[in-house]
Amino acid sequence: MKVCLFGASSDQLAPVYFEAANCLGEEMGRRQIGLVFGGGATGLMGAVCRGVHKYGGEIIGIAPRFFDQEGLLFQNCSQMIFTDTMRERKQRMEDLSDGFVVVPGGIGTLEEFFEIFTLRQLNRHRKPIALFNVNGYFDKLIELLEHTAAEGFTAGEALTLFDIFDRADQLLDYLISNKEG
């Protein structure tokens, strides 16, 4: 199984986020769950990578060529794939993955979550999506999505197309048990 990770690239975060991301990566590595991600060496992406790498797990980085700069990309990937555009990058990440994990992040992470969530709602894929709700990070987002459903802007059943976890082991159990095919 290969899991696509969307998450923060910033190193300016509270330690609780890094600890949880590293725990997720180590649990993936122990279970030999491969990682597909945007290639970054920093932030929560880097923390997950280091955890997966510690246990010899497969790590596939996918980055646009303009990210190929000193110190920006994780150097211990099993494979690094370069694309011409960010859109092509996201498509390759989706194609190579059996499920998606969203860890706390900023605008780019939220954009990636909403795209993959929308595609699931439109039946363009049936892969599981899990939010890793470290430190209650996604509580307000869930509140907003529930509000959009209550106001009729989102179908209520759409909110069942992803799940939310505060423990890495339970999140990975969910992805494994809901893997397509």
Side-chain angles (χ1 to χ4, degrees):
M1 176 172 204
K2 292 185 184 97
V3 171
C4 179
L5 174 77
F6 300 131
S9 61
S10 173
D11 279 333
Q12 306 303 311
L13 307 171
V16 66
Y17 295 109
F18 290 101
E19 292 163 10
N22 187 66
C23 176
L24 173 64
E26 287 185 2
E27 188 67 18
M28 289 175 66
R30 279 192 287 274
R31 295 182 188 209
Q32 291 300 296
I33 296 172
L35 174 65
V36 177
F37 80 117
T42 59
L44 302 187
M45 285 190 292
V48 172
C49 283
R50 287 185 292 279
V52 172
H53 184 260
K54 179 179 178 178
Y55 289 92
E58 180 181 21
I59 302 171
I60 301 173
I62 303 175
R65 287 225 174 268
F66 63 85
F67 277 5
D68 192 10
Q69 300 174 25
E70 182 70 32
L72 194 58
L73 298 175
F74 189 72
Q75 295 302 304
N76 294 312
C77 291
S78 309
Q79 180 182 8
M80 180 61 77
I81 300 169
F82 288 103
T83 63
D84 292 326
T85 67
M86 292 290 282
R87 287 192 174 126
E88 182 184 352
R89 169 186 169 249
K90 286 190 297 185
Q91 185 65 57
R92 295 290 301 271
M93 291 168 69
E94 179 187 341
D95 291 345
L96 292 175
S97 301
D98 300 305
F100 303 90
V101 174
V102 185
V103 299
I107 299 301
T109 300
L110 294 173
E111 184 269 333
E112 290 165 331
F113 163 67
F114 277 111
E115 180 172 337
I116 212 68
F117 175 37
T118 300
L119 291 171
R120 174 94 194 256
Q121 186 179 11
L122 295 171
N123 290 314
R124 303 311 300 162
H125 74 83
R126 299 192 45 78
K127 299 172 184 180
I129 304 168
L131 301 181
F132 194 18
N133 196 24
V134 178
N135 203 30
Y137 183 81
F138 289 113
D139 290 352
K140 295 292 184 185
L141 176 64
I142 300 308
E143 191 177 307
L144 174 62
L145 290 172
E146 289 171 345
H147 176 69
T148 66
E151 294 294 316
F153 291 97
T154 301
E157 57 269 9
L159 302 183
T160 67
L161 300 177
F162 64 89
D163 216 332
I164 307 145
F165 301 88
D166 58 8
R167 289 184 33 193
D169 59 339
Q170 292 174 343
L171 181 152
L172 294 173
D173 289 344
Y174 165 80
L175 292 176
I176 292 166
S177 67
N178 287 284
K179 180 182 172 193
E180 187 180 34

